[in-house]
PDB file of all heavy atoms in Angstrom:
ATOM      1  N   MET B 382     -26.824  16.920  -8.778  1.00 88.00           N
ATOM      2  CA  MET B 382     -27.365  16.080  -9.853  1.00 88.00           C
ATOM      3  C   MET B 382     -28.850  15.759  -9.633  1.00 88.00           C
ATOM      4  O   MET B 382     -29.505  15.240 -10.531  1.00 88.00           O
ATOM      5  CB  MET B 382     -26.567  14.773  -9.982  1.00 88.00           C
ATOM      6  CG  MET B 382     -25.131  14.939 -10.431  1.00 88.00           C
ATOM      7  SD  MET B 382     -24.938  15.884 -11.956  1.00 88.00           S
ATOM      8  CE  MET B 382     -25.583  14.743 -13.183  1.00 88.00           C
ATOM      9  N   LEU B 383     -29.350  16.033  -8.444  1.00 87.00           N
ATOM     10  CA  LEU B 383     -30.776  15.775  -8.171  1.00 87.00           C
ATOM     11  C   LEU B 383     -31.679  16.511  -9.161  1.00 87.00           C
ATOM     12  O   LEU B 383     -32.797  16.077  -9.424  1.00 87.00           O
ATOM     13  CB  LEU B 383     -31.138  16.203  -6.746  1.00 87.00           C
ATOM     14  CG  LEU B 383     -30.583  15.351  -5.602  1.00 87.00           C
ATOM     15  CD1 LEU B 383     -30.878  16.007  -4.266  1.00 87.00           C
ATOM     16  CD2 LEU B 383     -31.177  13.955  -5.653  1.00 87.00           C
ATOM     17  N   VAL B 384     -31.208  17.643  -9.685  1.00 86.00           N
ATOM     18  CA  VAL B 384     -32.055  18.389 -10.629  1.00 86.00           C
ATOM     19  C   VAL B 384     -32.366  17.570 -11.875  1.00 86.00           C
ATOM     20  O   VAL B 384     -33.276  17.896 -12.611  1.00 86.00           O
ATOM     21  CB  VAL B 384     -31.438  19.748 -11.060  1.00 86.00           C
ATOM     22  CG1 VAL B 384     -31.304  20.684  -9.887  1.00 86.00           C
ATOM     23  CG2 VAL B 384     -30.118  19.551 -11.764  1.00 86.00           C
ATOM     24  N   CYS B 385     -31.574  16.515 -12.096  1.00 85.00           N
ATOM     25  CA  CYS B 385     -31.802  15.689 -13.276  1.00 85.00           C
ATOM     26  C   CYS B 385     -32.811  14.580 -13.024  1.00 85.00           C
ATOM     27  O   CYS B 385     -33.122  13.813 -13.939  1.00 85.00           O
ATOM     28  CB  CYS B 385     -30.500  15.054 -13.755  1.00 85.00           C
ATOM     29  SG  CYS B 385     -29.303  16.263 -14.275  1.00 85.00           S
ATOM     30  N   LEU B 386     -33.306  14.446 -11.814  1.00 80.00           N
ATOM     31  CA  LEU B 386     -34.289  13.406 -11.541  1.00 80.00           C
ATOM     32  C   LEU B 386     -35.598  13.745 -12.248  1.00 80.00           C
ATOM     33  O   LEU B 386     -36.066  14.877 -12.165  1.00 80.00           O
ATOM     34  CB  LEU B 386     -34.565  13.298 -10.044  1.00 80.00           C
ATOM     35  CG  LEU B 386     -33.521  12.631  -9.170  1.00 80.00           C
ATOM     36  CD1 LEU B 386     -34.024  12.596  -7.739  1.00 80.00           C
ATOM     37  CD2 LEU B 386     -33.233  11.231  -9.657  1.00 80.00           C
ATOM     38  N   PRO B 387     -36.176  12.752 -12.943  1.00 75.00           N
ATOM     39  CA  PRO B 387     -37.475  13.031 -13.549  1.00 75.00           C
ATOM     40  C   PRO B 387     -38.455  13.380 -12.429  1.00 75.00           C
ATOM     41  O   PRO B 387     -38.456  12.745 -11.384  1.00 75.00           O
ATOM     42  CB  PRO B 387     -37.860  11.707 -14.203  1.00 75.00           C
ATOM     43  CG  PRO B 387     -36.629  10.880 -14.210  1.00 75.00           C
ATOM     44  CD  PRO B 387     -35.722  11.388 -13.155  1.00 75.00           C
ATOM     45  N   GLY B 388     -39.252  14.383 -12.638  1.00 72.00           N
ATOM     46  CA  GLY B 388     -40.228  14.754 -11.630  1.00 72.00           C
ATOM     47  C   GLY B 388     -39.713  15.798 -10.667  1.00 72.00           C
ATOM     48  O   GLY B 388     -40.474  16.402  -9.933  1.00 72.00           O
ATOM     49  N   PHE B 389     -38.411  16.030 -10.670  1.00 76.00           N
ATOM     50  CA  PHE B 389     -37.876  17.018  -9.746  1.00 76.00           C
ATOM     51  C   PHE B 389     -38.312  18.427 -10.138  1.00 76.00           C
ATOM     52  O   PHE B 389     -38.611  19.257  -9.299  1.00 76.00           O
ATOM     53  CB  PHE B 389     -36.345  16.952  -9.740  1.00 76.00           C
ATOM     54  CG  PHE B 389     -35.723  17.834  -8.690  1.00 76.00           C
ATOM     55  CD1 PHE B 389     -35.524  17.364  -7.413  1.00 76.00           C
ATOM     56  CD2 PHE B 389     -35.372  19.145  -8.972  1.00 76.00           C
ATOM     57  CE1 PHE B 389     -34.973  18.172  -6.436  1.00 76.00           C
ATOM     58  CE2 PHE B 389     -34.823  19.956  -8.006  1.00 76.00           C
ATOM     59  CZ  PHE B 389     -34.620  19.470  -6.730  1.00 76.00           C
ATOM     60  N   SER B 390     -38.368  18.630 -11.449  1.00 63.00           N
ATOM     61  CA  SER B 390     -38.535  19.998 -11.933  1.00 63.00           C
ATOM     62  C   SER B 390     -39.977  20.425 -12.090  1.00 63.00           C
ATOM     63  O   SER B 390     -40.260  21.598 -12.205  1.00 63.00           O
ATOM     64  CB  SER B 390     -37.861  20.103 -13.292  1.00 63.00           C
ATOM     65  OG  SER B 390     -38.427  19.150 -14.146  1.00 63.00           O
ATOM     66  N   THR B 391     -40.907  19.468 -12.094  1.00 44.00           N
ATOM     67  CA  THR B 391     -42.258  19.811 -12.520  1.00 44.00           C
ATOM     68  C   THR B 391     -42.974  20.769 -11.578  1.00 44.00           C
ATOM     69  O   THR B 391     -43.745  21.597 -12.013  1.00 44.00           O
ATOM     70  CB  THR B 391     -43.106  18.545 -12.695  1.00 44.00           C
ATOM     71  OG1 THR B 391     -42.927  17.761 -11.526  1.00 44.00           O
ATOM     72  CG2 THR B 391     -42.695  17.781 -13.915  1.00 44.00           C
ATOM     73  N   ALA B 392     -42.705  20.634 -10.268  1.00 40.00           N
ATOM     74  CA  ALA B 392     -43.429  21.499  -9.343  1.00 40.00           C
ATOM     75  C   ALA B 392     -42.833  22.895  -9.343  1.00 40.00           C
ATOM     76  O   ALA B 392     -41.639  23.051  -9.145  1.00 40.00           O
ATOM     77  CB  ALA B 392     -43.367  20.917  -7.944  1.00 40.00           C
ATOM     78  N   PRO B 393     -43.653  23.922  -9.566  1.00 46.00           N
ATOM     79  CA  PRO B 393     -43.110  25.273  -9.681  1.00 46.00           C
ATOM     80  C   PRO B 393     -42.408  25.733  -8.407  1.00 46.00           C
ATOM     81  O   PRO B 393     -41.401  26.427  -8.471  1.00 46.00           O
ATOM     82  CB  PRO B 393     -44.335  26.133  -9.974  1.00 46.00           C
ATOM     83  CG  PRO B 393     -45.522  25.275  -9.766  1.00 46.00           C
ATOM     84  CD  PRO B 393     -45.092  23.865  -9.797  1.00 46.00           C
ATOM     85  N   GLU B 394     -42.941  25.336  -7.249  1.00 41.00           N
ATOM     86  CA  GLU B 394     -42.326  25.834  -6.019  1.00 41.00           C
ATOM     87  C   GLU B 394     -40.912  25.288  -5.872  1.00 41.00           C
ATOM     88  O   GLU B 394     -40.050  25.936  -5.319  1.00 41.00           O
ATOM     89  CB  GLU B 394     -43.185  25.524  -4.777  1.00 41.00           C
ATOM     90  CG  GLU B 394     -43.225  24.068  -4.342  1.00 41.00           C
ATOM     91  CD  GLU B 394     -44.271  23.264  -5.112  1.00 41.00           C
ATOM     92  OE1 GLU B 394     -44.829  23.806  -6.086  1.00 41.00           O
ATOM     93  OE2 GLU B 394     -44.526  22.110  -4.747  1.00 41.00           O
ATOM     94  N   ILE B 395     -40.706  24.104  -6.399  1.00 39.00           N
ATOM     95  CA  ILE B 395     -39.360  23.546  -6.298  1.00 39.00           C
ATOM     96  C   ILE B 395     -38.430  24.260  -7.261  1.00 39.00           C
ATOM     97  O   ILE B 395     -37.285  24.547  -6.951  1.00 39.00           O
ATOM     98  CB  ILE B 395     -39.384  22.031  -6.555  1.00 39.00           C
ATOM     99  CG1 ILE B 395     -40.054  21.358  -5.366  1.00 39.00           C
ATOM    100  CG2 ILE B 395     -37.984  21.491  -6.740  1.00 39.00           C
ATOM    101  CD1 ILE B 395     -40.279  19.908  -5.523  1.00 39.00           C
ATOM    102  N   THR B 396     -38.964  24.588  -8.433  1.00 39.00           N
ATOM    103  CA  THR B 396     -38.141  25.315  -9.394  1.00 39.00           C
ATOM    104  C   THR B 396     -37.712  26.659  -8.798  1.00 39.00           C
ATOM    105  O   THR B 396     -36.591  27.100  -8.983  1.00 39.00           O
ATOM    106  CB  THR B 396     -38.902  25.529 -10.708  1.00 39.00           C
ATOM    107  OG1 THR B 396     -39.449  24.284 -11.082  1.00 39.00           O
ATOM    108  CG2 THR B 396     -37.994  26.025 -11.788  1.00 39.00           C
ATOM    109  N   ASP B 397     -38.648  27.266  -8.049  1.00 39.00           N
ATOM    110  CA  ASP B 397     -38.302  28.536  -7.430  1.00 39.00           C
ATOM    111  C   ASP B 397     -37.194  28.376  -6.414  1.00 39.00           C
ATOM    112  O   ASP B 397     -36.260  29.165  -6.357  1.00 39.00           O
ATOM    113  CB  ASP B 397     -39.531  29.134  -6.742  1.00 39.00           C
ATOM    114  CG  ASP B 397     -40.507  29.674  -7.772  1.00 39.00           C
ATOM    115  OD1 ASP B 397     -40.057  29.940  -8.903  1.00 39.00           O
ATOM    116  OD2 ASP B 397     -41.683  29.816  -7.449  1.00 39.00           O
ATOM    117  N   VAL B 398     -37.325  27.334  -5.613  1.00 36.00           N
ATOM    118  CA  VAL B 398     -36.304  27.093  -4.601  1.00 36.00           C
ATOM    119  C   VAL B 398     -34.957  26.802  -5.244  1.00 36.00           C
ATOM    120  O   VAL B 398     -33.948  27.409  -4.941  1.00 36.00           O
ATOM    121  CB  VAL B 398     -36.705  25.905  -3.700  1.00 36.00           C
ATOM    122  CG1 VAL B 398     -35.560  25.539  -2.791  1.00 36.00           C
ATOM    123  CG2 VAL B 398     -37.947  26.252  -2.902  1.00 36.00           C
ATOM    124  N   SER B 399     -35.001  25.888  -6.200  1.00 38.00           N
ATOM    125  CA  SER B 399     -33.736  25.427  -6.767  1.00 38.00           C
ATOM    126  C   SER B 399     -33.228  26.403  -7.809  1.00 38.00           C
ATOM    127  O   SER B 399     -32.036  26.482  -8.058  1.00 38.00           O
ATOM    128  CB  SER B 399     -33.949  24.075  -7.422  1.00 38.00           C
ATOM    129  OG  SER B 399     -34.830  24.213  -8.499  1.00 38.00           O
ATOM    130  N   GLY B 400     -34.133  27.119  -8.403  1.00 42.00           N
ATOM    131  CA  GLY B 400     -33.728  28.000  -9.499  1.00 42.00           C
ATOM    132  C   GLY B 400     -33.320  27.225 -10.726  1.00 42.00           C
ATOM    133  O   GLY B 400     -32.695  27.746 -11.627  1.00 42.00           O
ATOM    134  N   ARG B 401     -33.628  25.962 -10.798  1.00 46.00           N
ATOM    135  CA  ARG B 401     -33.187  25.122 -11.912  1.00 46.00           C
ATOM    136  C   ARG B 401     -34.170  24.026 -12.198  1.00 46.00           C
ATOM    137  O   ARG B 401     -35.156  23.863 -11.502  1.00 46.00           O
ATOM    138  CB  ARG B 401     -31.869  24.412 -11.545  1.00 46.00           C
ATOM    139  CG  ARG B 401     -30.681  25.267 -11.570  1.00 46.00           C
ATOM    140  CD  ARG B 401     -30.315  25.667 -12.961  1.00 46.00           C
ATOM    141  NE  ARG B 401     -29.345  26.745 -12.833  1.00 46.00           N
ATOM    142  CZ  ARG B 401     -28.712  27.285 -13.846  1.00 46.00           C
ATOM    143  NH1 ARG B 401     -28.960  26.885 -15.047  1.00 46.00           N
ATOM    144  NH2 ARG B 401     -27.854  28.242 -13.651  1.00 46.00           N
ATOM    145  N   GLY B 402     -33.820  23.223 -13.149  1.00 48.00           N
ATOM    146  CA  GLY B 402     -34.469  21.934 -13.252  1.00 48.00           C
ATOM    147  C   GLY B 402     -35.402  21.749 -14.425  1.00 48.00           C
ATOM    148  O   GLY B 402     -35.807  20.645 -14.704  1.00 48.00           O
ATOM    149  N   VAL B 403     -35.742  22.822 -15.130  1.00 52.00           N
ATOM    150  CA  VAL B 403     -36.683  22.639 -16.224  1.00 52.00           C
ATOM    151  C   VAL B 403     -36.051  21.761 -17.297  1.00 52.00           C
ATOM    152  O   VAL B 403     -35.067  22.126 -17.918  1.00 52.00           O
ATOM    153  CB  VAL B 403     -37.110  23.991 -16.826  1.00 52.00           C
ATOM    154  CG1 VAL B 403     -38.060  23.781 -17.984  1.00 52.00           C
ATOM    155  CG2 VAL B 403     -37.752  24.842 -15.754  1.00 52.00           C
ATOM    156  N   GLY B 404     -36.617  20.594 -17.457  1.00 75.00           N
ATOM    157  CA  GLY B 404     -36.158  19.703 -18.520  1.00 75.00           C
ATOM    158  C   GLY B 404     -34.762  19.128 -18.335  1.00 75.00           C
ATOM    159  O   GLY B 404     -34.184  18.617 -19.271  1.00 75.00           O
ATOM    160  N   MET B 405     -34.254  19.204 -17.102  1.00 84.00           N
ATOM    161  CA  MET B 405     -32.895  18.687 -16.918  1.00 84.00           C
ATOM    162  C   MET B 405     -32.818  17.173 -17.104  1.00 84.00           C
ATOM    163  O   MET B 405     -31.786  16.651 -17.496  1.00 84.00           O
ATOM    164  CB  MET B 405     -32.355  19.071 -15.525  1.00 84.00           C
ATOM    165  CG  MET B 405     -31.872  20.494 -15.424  1.00 84.00           C
ATOM    166  SD  MET B 405     -30.668  20.937 -16.686  1.00 84.00           S
ATOM    167  CE  MET B 405     -29.301  19.874 -16.235  1.00 84.00           C
ATOM    168  N   ASP B 406     -33.922  16.479 -16.794  1.00 81.00           N
ATOM    169  CA  ASP B 406     -33.896  15.031 -17.028  1.00 81.00           C
ATOM    170  C   ASP B 406     -33.801  14.744 -18.525  1.00 81.00           C
ATOM    171  O   ASP B 406     -33.096  13.831 -18.954  1.00 81.00           O
ATOM    172  CB  ASP B 406     -35.094  14.326 -16.377  1.00 81.00           C
ATOM    173  CG  ASP B 406     -36.428  14.898 -16.830  1.00 81.00           C
ATOM    174  OD1 ASP B 406     -36.465  16.097 -17.174  1.00 81.00           O
ATOM    175  OD2 ASP B 406     -37.421  14.157 -16.850  1.00 81.00           O
ATOM    176  N   ALA B 407     -34.478  15.597 -19.314  1.00 80.00           N
ATOM    177  CA  ALA B 407     -34.414  15.431 -20.773  1.00 80.00           C
ATOM    178  C   ALA B 407     -33.005  15.729 -21.284  1.00 80.00           C
ATOM    179  O   ALA B 407     -32.495  15.053 -22.172  1.00 80.00           O
ATOM    180  CB  ALA B 407     -35.417  16.353 -21.444  1.00 80.00           C
ATOM    181  N   VAL B 408     -32.380  16.744 -20.688  1.00 86.00           N
ATOM    182  CA  VAL B 408     -31.015  17.097 -21.100  1.00 86.00           C
ATOM    183  C   VAL B 408     -30.092  15.912 -20.858  1.00 86.00           C
ATOM    184  O   VAL B 408     -29.353  15.478 -21.735  1.00 86.00           O
ATOM    185  CB  VAL B 408     -30.499  18.323 -20.321  1.00 86.00           C
ATOM    186  CG1 VAL B 408     -29.021  18.544 -20.575  1.00 86.00           C
ATOM    187  CG2 VAL B 408     -31.293  19.562 -20.703  1.00 86.00           C
ATOM    188  N   ARG B 409     -30.191  15.354 -19.630  1.00 84.00           N
ATOM    189  CA  ARG B 409     -29.302  14.252 -19.321  1.00 84.00           C
ATOM    190  C   ARG B 409     -29.575  13.060 -20.238  1.00 84.00           C
ATOM    191  O   ARG B 409     -28.649  12.421 -20.729  1.00 84.00           O
ATOM    192  CB  ARG B 409     -29.432  13.835 -17.853  1.00 84.00           C
ATOM    193  CG  ARG B 409     -28.459  12.720 -17.536  1.00 84.00           C
ATOM    194  CD  ARG B 409     -28.207  12.548 -16.088  1.00 84.00           C
ATOM    195  NE  ARG B 409     -29.391  12.036 -15.390  1.00 84.00           N
ATOM    196  CZ  ARG B 409     -29.355  11.612 -14.140  1.00 84.00           C
ATOM    197  NH1 ARG B 409     -28.228  11.665 -13.475  1.00 84.00           N
ATOM    198  NH2 ARG B 409     -30.442  11.181 -13.563  1.00 84.00           N
ATOM    199  N   ALA B 410     -30.853  12.780 -20.487  1.00 78.00           N
ATOM    200  CA  ALA B 410     -31.191  11.637 -21.337  1.00 78.00           C
ATOM    201  C   ALA B 410     -30.619  11.814 -22.744  1.00 78.00           C
ATOM    202  O   ALA B 410     -30.032  10.886 -23.299  1.00 78.00           O
ATOM    203  CB  ALA B 410     -32.703  11.448 -21.391  1.00 78.00           C
ATOM    204  N   SER B 411     -30.745  13.020 -23.316  1.00 80.00           N
ATOM    205  CA  SER B 411     -30.237  13.158 -24.695  1.00 80.00           C
ATOM    206  C   SER B 411     -28.724  13.104 -24.738  1.00 80.00           C
ATOM    207  O   SER B 411     -28.156  12.602 -25.693  1.00 80.00           O
ATOM    208  CB  SER B 411     -30.727  14.435 -25.393  1.00 80.00           C
ATOM    209  OG  SER B 411     -31.413  15.274 -24.570  1.00 80.00           O
ATOM    210  N   VAL B 412     -28.082  13.625 -23.694  1.00 83.00           N
ATOM    211  CA  VAL B 412     -26.620  13.575 -23.683  1.00 83.00           C
ATOM    212  C   VAL B 412     -26.155  12.121 -23.557  1.00 83.00           C
ATOM    213  O   VAL B 412     -25.239  11.676 -24.242  1.00 83.00           O
ATOM    214  CB  VAL B 412     -26.061  14.442 -22.535  1.00 83.00           C
ATOM    215  CG1 VAL B 412     -24.583  14.203 -22.352  1.00 83.00           C
ATOM    216  CG2 VAL B 412     -26.323  15.911 -22.816  1.00 83.00           C
ATOM    217  N   GLN B 413     -26.846  11.364 -22.718  1.00 74.00           N
ATOM    218  CA  GLN B 413     -26.460   9.966 -22.543  1.00 74.00           C
ATOM    219  C   GLN B 413     -26.731   9.159 -23.800  1.00 74.00           C
ATOM    220  O   GLN B 413     -25.984   8.239 -24.119  1.00 74.00           O
ATOM    221  CB  GLN B 413     -27.216   9.368 -21.365  1.00 74.00           C
ATOM    222  CG  GLN B 413     -26.725   9.936 -20.042  1.00 74.00           C
ATOM    223  CD  GLN B 413     -27.357   9.251 -18.847  1.00 74.00           C
ATOM    224  OE1 GLN B 413     -28.288   8.471 -18.991  1.00 74.00           O
ATOM    225  NE2 GLN B 413     -26.844   9.539 -17.677  1.00 74.00           N
ATOM    226  N   ALA B 414     -27.775   9.538 -24.513  1.00 71.00           N
ATOM    227  CA  ALA B 414     -28.122   8.781 -25.707  1.00 71.00           C
ATOM    228  C   ALA B 414     -27.045   8.885 -26.781  1.00 71.00           C
ATOM    229  O   ALA B 414     -26.948   8.028 -27.647  1.00 71.00           O
ATOM    230  CB  ALA B 414     -29.457   9.258 -26.262  1.00 71.00           C
ATOM    231  N   ILE B 415     -26.217   9.922 -26.743  1.00 74.00           N
ATOM    232  CA  ILE B 415     -25.133   9.998 -27.717  1.00 74.00           C
ATOM    233  C   ILE B 415     -23.808   9.636 -27.066  1.00 74.00           C
ATOM    234  O   ILE B 415     -22.739  10.029 -27.511  1.00 74.00           O
ATOM    235  CB  ILE B 415     -25.048  11.393 -28.403  1.00 74.00           C
ATOM    236  CG1 ILE B 415     -25.147  12.510 -27.372  1.00 74.00           C
ATOM    237  CG2 ILE B 415     -26.097  11.536 -29.453  1.00 74.00           C
ATOM    238  CD1 ILE B 415     -25.019  13.897 -27.967  1.00 74.00           C
ATOM    239  N   GLY B 416     -23.889   8.863 -25.990  1.00 69.00           N
ATOM    240  CA  GLY B 416     -22.684   8.331 -25.382  1.00 69.00           C
ATOM    241  C   GLY B 416     -21.960   9.342 -24.521  1.00 69.00           C
ATOM    242  O   GLY B 416     -20.773   9.211 -24.251  1.00 69.00           O
ATOM    243  N   GLY B 417     -22.675  10.366 -24.087  1.00 77.00           N
ATOM    244  CA  GLY B 417     -22.034  11.401 -23.283  1.00 77.00           C
ATOM    245  C   GLY B 417     -22.464  11.360 -21.844  1.00 77.00           C
ATOM    246  O   GLY B 417     -23.183  10.466 -21.413  1.00 77.00           O
ATOM    247  N   ASN B 418     -22.028  12.370 -21.113  1.00 81.00           N
ATOM    248  CA  ASN B 418     -22.204  12.443 -19.685  1.00 81.00           C
ATOM    249  C   ASN B 418     -22.428  13.883 -19.270  1.00 81.00           C
ATOM    250  O   ASN B 418     -21.897  14.787 -19.894  1.00 81.00           O
ATOM    251  CB  ASN B 418     -20.908  11.975 -19.047  1.00 81.00           C
ATOM    252  CG  ASN B 418     -21.201  10.980 -17.977  1.00 81.00           C
ATOM    253  OD1 ASN B 418     -22.258  11.049 -17.344  1.00 81.00           O
ATOM    254  ND2 ASN B 418     -20.280  10.068 -17.780  1.00 81.00           N
TER     255      ASN B 418
END
Side-chain angles (χ1 to χ4, degrees):
Chain B
M382 294 307 289
L383 289 173
V384 296
C385 297
L386 285 182
F389 187 87
S390 57
T391 49
E394 72 276 9
I395 289 174
T396 311
D397 287 339
V398 172
S399 64
R401 285 290 167 174
V403 179
M405 282 307 295
D406 56 332
V408 171
R409 182 162 69 169
S411 7
V412 170
Q413 289 186 350
I415 46 178
N418 228 330

